[in-house]
């Protein structure tokens, strides 16, 4: 590609040669080059001159210009004619054109001219080109770099961001015709558009530059990766005891009693950046719930782990620790001995017992027993004073005066503040 050049030719006279010298000037706005061609003759021997009225033509890109002139051909370049033609370029600014020339001087040995060739003109810039663009995240303002060889001759120069290449999802905005970079200062609504269209953690977007020249639009684009950052869901979980019996003992719904509290929870998960919550979960020991709210039973730990996952796969885990009363379940083991011949029986009662404080109240223990003969009615309950060691208790009761020959049924019972 060039703005000037030379094409050599021949004539019927072996001592006379010819050439054309061409130049081109561009009209960027109108997308054409003015090609000027000058036809010269010269002799290859010295001491001779061919002269007369020259007649002929120059054809440029299919357009012929005719002329005639009185010339004298020596061994120096002799201009026969000069022609200029506007040569339209292709839509992309490229263009190749043919040049040919013919002529003669009547009554001389120069009766014909043979000259033709093809030239490739410099491309006329039709569009600005994006030279670089960044991968960027949803909180950033990306900067593109570009070149605009057409400069101020363009009618309009704009840039946009498109999700698919079909439309300007982030609308076109004017950029400098003489600049080399542009920063997209995205609005909140534009950020929402990009986030709403990003179902995963990232996606491909396209940067576009649109160049308008004389009503014709030209486009340059570059694909880059757009990603969502800081997208983890928000969690504001709560846990309280909803069992009135245990609350009465602890005096505080924020204190849980092992095994018996009813842990009422709320996960309160909120998705961020146009995502949605797709799953949520709470775990406490072996207990697991996958609903946003509910009640956990059989509480064996004060450690709760809350979890939420959004539609992009972002995960948030948040723990809550509650004070847990390490309640020990009350048991009652009862072993009566066989009656002696004298009518004596020993009742051995033992078991586990929470020997501690719930928060508002101390635990207490009541152990009692009763018995009956054959089909008679039970006696009244009789309280027994247990011996408490750590979290266990025991008591031994002696009964006398029983009828050795009769059948007896015995019962023992233990009660604490909870059971």
């Amino acid at each position: 590609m060039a703005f000037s050049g030379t094409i050599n030719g021949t004539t019927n006279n072996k001592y006379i040669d010819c050439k054309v010298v061409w130049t081109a000037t561009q009209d960027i706005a109108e997308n054409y080059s003015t090609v000027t061609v000058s036809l010269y003759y010269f002799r290859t021997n010295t001491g001779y001159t061919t002269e007369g009225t020259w007649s002929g033509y120059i054809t440029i890109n299919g357009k012929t210009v005719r002329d005639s002139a009185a010339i004298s051909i020596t061994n120096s370049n002799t201009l026969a004619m000069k022609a200029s033609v506007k040569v339209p370029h292709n839509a992309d600014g490229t263009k190749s054109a043919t040049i040919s020339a013919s002529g003669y001087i009547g009554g001389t040995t120069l009766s014909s001219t043979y000259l033709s060739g093809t030239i490739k003109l410099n491309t006329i810039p039709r569009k600005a080109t994006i030279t670089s663009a960044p991968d960027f995240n949803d909180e950033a303002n990306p900067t593109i770099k570009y070149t605009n060889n057409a400069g101020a001759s363009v009618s309009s120069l704009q840039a946009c961001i498109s999700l698919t290449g079909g439309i300007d999802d982030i609308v076109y905005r004017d950029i400098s015709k003489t600049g080399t970079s542009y920063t997209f200062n995205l609005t909140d609504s534009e950020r929402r558009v990009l986030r709403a269209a990003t179902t995963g953690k990232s996606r491909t977007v396209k940067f576009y530059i649109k160049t308008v020249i004389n009503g014709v639009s030209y486009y340059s684009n570059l694909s880059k990766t757009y990603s969502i950052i800081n997208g983890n869901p928000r969690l504001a979980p709560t846990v309280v005891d909803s069992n009135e019996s245990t609350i009465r003992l602890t005096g505080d719904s924020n204190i849980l009693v092992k095994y018996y509290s009813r842990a009422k929870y709320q996960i309160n998960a909120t998705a961020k950046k146009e995502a949605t919550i797709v799953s949520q979960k709470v775990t406490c020991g072996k207990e697991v719930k996958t609903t946003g709210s509910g009640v956990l039973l059989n509480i064996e730990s004060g450690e709760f782990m809350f979890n939420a996952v959004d539609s992009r796969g972002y995960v948030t885990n948040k723990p809550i620790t509650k004070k847990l009363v390490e309640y020990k379940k009350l048991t009652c083991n009862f072993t009566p001995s066989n009656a002696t011949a004298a009518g004596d029986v020993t009742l051995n009662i033992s078991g586990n017992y929470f020997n501690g404080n719930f928060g508002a109240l101390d635990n207490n223990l009541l152990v009692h027993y009763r018995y009956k003969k054959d089909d008679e009615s039970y006696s009244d309950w009789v309280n027994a004073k247990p011996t408490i060691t750590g979290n266990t208790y025991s008591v031994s009761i002696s009964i006398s005066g029983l009828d050795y020959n009769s059948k007896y049924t015995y019962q023992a019972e233990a009660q604490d503040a909870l059971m």
Side-chain angles (χ1 to χ4, degrees):
M1 294 182 292
F3 288 109
S4 63
T6 301
I7 300 173
N8 295 311
T10 62
T11 72
N12 67 297
N13 187 324
K14 66 178 183 179
Y15 297 111
I16 300 176
D17 285 338
C18 62
K19 67 180 179 181
V20 294
V21 176
W22 65 271
T23 60
T25 57
Q26 294 181 339
D27 188 313
I28 294 176
E30 297 297 331
N31 196 30
Y32 70 81
S33 290
T34 298
V35 179
T36 300
V37 176
S38 298
L39 173 61
Y40 294 95
Y41 289 92
F42 56 92
R43 296 187 67 90
T44 60
N45 59 355
T46 60
Y48 296 90
T49 300
T50 301
E51 59 186 2
T53 300
W54 177 88
S55 296
Y57 62 84
I58 295 174
T59 300
I60 305 171
N61 196 44
K63 185 175 181 178
T64 300
V65 179
R66 297 182 181 274
D67 199 5
S68 64
I71 64 173
S72 179
I73 303 173
T74 64
N75 61 337
S76 298
N77 290 334
T78 301
L79 177 65
M81 75 169 287
K82 186 175 185 178
S84 295
V85 171
K86 289 182 178 180
V87 178
H89 283 230
N90 300 320
D92 63 357
T94 62
K95 182 61 180 178
S96 294
T98 59
I99 296 176
S100 62
S102 182
Y104 66 94
I105 300 176
T108 69
T109 57
L110 177 62
S111 60
S112 59
T113 300
Y114 314 103
L115 188 149
S116 67
T118 300
I119 63 173
K120 191 171 185 180
L121 299 173
N122 275 8
T123 299
I124 295 178
R126 306 314 293 154
K127 65 180 180 180
T129 301
I130 299 179
T131 57
S132 69
D135 295 331
F136 69 107
N137 63 58
D138 65 303
E139 296 178 4
N141 289 316
T143 297
I144 61 172
K145 293 185 177 181
Y146 63 94
T147 59
N148 177 31
N149 293 328
S153 63
V154 304
S155 308
S156 171
L157 193 63
Q158 295 182 314
C160 82
I161 302 174
S162 178
L163 294 167
T164 62
I167 60 173
D168 52 328
D169 300 276
I170 306 305
V171 298
Y172 278 106
R173 64 276 316 268
D174 292 328
I175 64 176
S176 173
K177 297 176 183 179
T178 58
T180 58
S181 66
Y182 176 77
T183 299
F184 287 86
N185 290 305
L186 300 174
T187 66
D188 289 342
S189 61
E190 287 174 331
R191 294 187 194 281
R192 285 193 292 270
V193 167
L194 291 174
R195 289 165 179 161
T198 307
T199 56
K201 293 182 179 180
S202 64
R203 63 162 295 142
T204 298
V205 299
K206 291 179 179 288
F207 289 96
Y208 273 86
I209 286 184
K210 178 172 70 173
T211 309
V212 180
I213 302 176
N214 281 351
V216 181
S217 297
Y218 305 90
Y219 298 89
S220 172
N221 72 81
L222 202 57
S223 296
K224 287 296 176 179
T225 300
Y226 167 81
S227 57
I228 305 291
I229 63 170
N230 301 320
N232 302 77
R234 298 182 184 91
L235 291 187
T238 61
V239 179
V240 293
D241 192 359
S242 62
N243 185 341
E244 294 298 329
S245 297
T246 50
I247 294 173
R248 175 180 56 83
L249 297 172
T250 62
D252 188 345
S253 62
N254 285 302
I255 298 175
L256 303 178
V257 177
K258 193 172 184 178
Y259 307 121
Y260 287 94
S261 284
R262 295 170 54 87
K264 181 179 180 180
Y265 70 89
Q266 292 273 356
I267 296 181
N268 297 319
T270 306
K272 295 165 61 177
K273 298 185 174 181
E274 279 61 54
T276 57
I277 297 296
V278 296
S279 69
Q280 46 193 325
K281 178 174 67 175
V282 57
T283 302
C284 180
K286 299 176 182 177
E287 297 298 304
V288 179
K289 288 281 187 177
T290 56
T291 55
S293 61
V295 176
L296 289 167
L297 305 176
N298 302 312
I299 298 300
E300 297 184 24
S301 170
E303 304 294 330
F304 294 80
M305 180 59 73
F306 293 87
N307 166 276
V309 181
D310 76 359
S311 53
R312 295 190 182 101
Y314 279 108
V315 180
T316 299
N317 295 298
K318 188 168 186 177
I320 286 183
T321 300
K322 291 290 182 177
K323 182 177 180 180
L324 182 71
V325 177
E326 293 285 347
Y327 178 74
K328 196 171 186 68
K329 288 184 177 180
L330 182 66
T331 60
C332 184
N333 304 310
F334 178 38
T335 305
S337 67
N338 294 323
T340 65
D344 297 327
V345 170
T346 300
L347 306 180
N348 294 306
I349 307 169
S350 62
N352 295 325
Y353 162 70
F354 173 58
N355 183 20
N357 181 274
F358 287 99
L361 296 172
D362 289 328
N363 198 15
N364 55 60
L365 177 65
L366 172 64
V367 179
H368 50 198
Y369 66 92
R370 66 181 181 177
Y371 60 93
K372 69 175 184 175
K373 180 180 178 182
D374 292 331
D375 294 329
E376 296 179 359
S377 297
Y378 276 106
S379 66
D380 291 335
W381 285 105
V382 179
N383 291 330
K385 185 176 181 180
T387 298
I388 297 173
T389 304
N391 286 314
T392 62
Y393 72 92
S394 62
V395 59
S396 181
I397 302 139
S398 296
I399 302 175
S400 59
L402 302 180
D403 182 354
Y404 177 78
N405 295 313
S406 297
K407 179 181 178 181
Y408 287 84
T409 301
Y410 306 93
Q411 287 185 341
E413 184 178 77
Q415 296 179 356
D416 68 2
L418 186 58
M419 296 180 61

